[in-house]
Amino acid sequence: MPSDSIKPAQKAKKDSADSRAKTKATPESKSARATTTKKKTKSNPVSKPESKLAQKAESKTSIASKQKAKSAKSKSTAQRTPQLATKPNSPRTTRRTKAQIDTIKSRFLEHYPHAKTELIYRNIYELLVCVMLSAQCTDKRVNIVTPALFARYPDIKSLANANLDDIKELIKSVSFFNNKARHLLTMAQQVLADFGGEVPTTQEALKSLAGVGQKTANVVLIEFFNANVMAVDTHVFRVSHRLGVSRAKSAIDTEADLTKAFKTQLFALHQAFVLFGRYVCKALRPECAQCFVQEFCTTRSNFKPA
């Protein structure tokens, strides 16, 4: 049969089959398809590196925004808080001149002319016990505890012969009552053995007793004898640092600074500083509107002995 006599449909079918065979036989076709696939993959609009860059940028923006807000808050606080003066002779600097010291002293003595401890006692024995119990505890709490304690142990001898557990039971609402009970019992036994049952009246002798440090000894001497010594508790420490009278880190060094600065009437100043710190120059929320030495205040920050 002549070739030109083949039907058109059969010829088209044969051409299509030949084309498919050529495509299979051509290695370039597979390569081309692979290239196309890769291009499609690469054409992903958010690649991993770009995503990481976007996250970093977003993180930086967030940090910058937080820093800006913090800065704005600090500025707002600074506007509300009085700025400290920086001139050498300014009342707000922590270098106190003699004239400034004299002014501070006279104002405290004027505002607290008859300052006394708020501890309730009847004799030096009871005073010593009260002061020992008041360490890191309020006077109010001590005054709640001591009536029953003194009814049970009215003097040194009875306390020296007490049962330790009975003392603990009577003072258990006071802070660190276990240690304080042991100190009270040992102190009473020492007074009985070493001082003939009489509470000593000198700083060194008092400091030889269990649980009695320099602050406790000085408070007893200040309150009972109006001795010209300074005792530094948390209130005195905070007030003296806020007023720039001392920069010392410890209570003992602060005591030395105050003694050197004020020199006389230290017993009255101690009690005045205690009352002022307790009711006006408070640790967390000072009553600045009631302060009579506000121009000397260097900061509202709290201070504690090291």
Side-chain angles (χ1 to χ4, degrees):
M1 181 180 296
S3 59
D4 56 327
S5 64
I6 298 174
K7 293 180 180 180
Q10 292 176 340
K11 187 176 181 181
K13 187 176 182 181
K14 183 179 179 182
D15 291 341
S16 176
D18 291 342
S19 174
R20 284 197 301 273
K22 285 180 181 179
T23 303
K24 288 180 181 180
T26 306
E28 290 82 354
S29 61
K30 291 183 178 180
S31 176
R33 284 199 300 273
T35 303
T36 303
T37 304
K38 287 182 180 180
K39 285 182 179 179
K40 286 182 179 179
T41 303
K42 288 182 179 181
S43 64
N44 187 353
V46 183
S47 63
K48 287 184 179 180
E50 291 175 348
S51 177
K52 287 182 178 179
L53 288 173
Q55 289 176 356
K56 285 182 179 179
E58 184 178 353
S59 176
K60 286 181 179 179
T61 303
S62 176
I63 291 171
S65 178
K66 288 179 180 178
Q67 288 177 341
K68 187 175 181 181
K70 189 176 180 180
S71 176
K73 186 177 179 180
S74 298
K75 287 180 180 178
S76 176
T77 304
Q79 288 174 355
R80 293 195 304 269
T81 305
Q83 296 298 310
L84 303 183
T86 56
K87 295 180 181 179
N89 295 324
S90 168
R92 288 190 182 275
T93 62
T94 52
R95 274 178 161 179
R96 291 287 163 246
T97 64
K98 185 180 182 303
Q100 291 167 350
I101 290 293
D102 290 343
T103 300
I104 292 171
K105 180 178 180 178
S106 63
R107 289 189 191 176
F108 271 92
L109 295 177
E110 178 185 347
H111 280 78
Y112 300 99
H114 307 293
K116 299 292 286 183
T117 182
E118 293 182 321
L119 294 170
I120 299 173
Y121 66 95
R122 293 170 296 187
N123 51 55
I124 193 170
Y125 156 68
E126 290 187 358
L127 173 61
L128 176 58
V129 171
C130 287
V131 177
M132 290 175 67
L133 291 175
S134 69
Q136 297 181 328
C137 184
T138 64
D139 289 0
K140 183 179 180 181
R141 171 53 53 186
V142 172
N143 290 335
I144 292 173
V145 165
T146 50
L149 180 67
F150 294 144
R152 183 80 173 270
Y153 309 112
D155 52 33
I156 282 289
K157 185 176 181 180
S158 58
L159 183 60
N161 294 310
N163 178 274
L164 179 60
D165 290 333
D166 291 341
I167 299 175
K168 288 181 180 180
E169 183 64 25
L170 287 167
I171 66 169
K172 64 183 180 182
S173 65
V174 171
S175 59
F176 309 107
F177 71 93
N178 284 314
N179 286 338
K180 289 177 180 179
R182 284 192 290 270
H183 288 155
L184 287 176
L185 180 59
T186 305
M187 176 273 294
Q189 292 170 346
Q190 286 177 297
V191 171
L192 199 62
D194 301 336
F195 300 97
E198 298 293 329
V199 174
T201 58
T202 66
Q203 185 192 77
E204 290 305 313
L206 284 167
K207 286 168 62 177
S208 71
L209 302 175
V212 179
Q214 186 155 313
K215 185 205 80 173
T216 298
N218 284 1
V219 170
V220 171
L221 297 175
I222 286 169
E223 182 61 31
F224 207 76
F225 300 103
N226 285 343
N228 190 46
V229 293
M230 176 60 71
V232 177
D233 65 359
T234 55
H235 299 303
V236 176
F237 189 89
R238 179 174 62 256
V239 170
S240 60
H241 281 70
R242 281 179 173 173
L243 294 179
V245 182
S246 176
R247 295 180 181 179
K249 301 295 183 182
S250 69
I252 295 295
D253 291 338
T254 300
E255 177 191 320
D257 286 346
L258 296 178
T259 302
K260 183 179 178 181
F262 295 120
K263 294 182 176 61
T264 61
Q265 296 178 288
L266 298 179
F267 64 92
L269 287 169
H270 161 76
Q271 299 290 10
F273 270 46
V274 169
L275 295 177
F276 180 71
R278 184 175 293 162
Y279 297 110
V280 180
C281 196
K282 301 175 185 178
L284 299 180
R285 295 180 181 85
E287 304 286 345
C288 297
Q290 300 179 34
C291 181
F292 50 83
V293 283
Q294 194 168 16
E295 73 268 30
F296 298 105
C297 183
T298 62
T299 177
R300 290 165 60 98
S301 299
N302 193 15
F303 291 89
K304 293 182 179 180

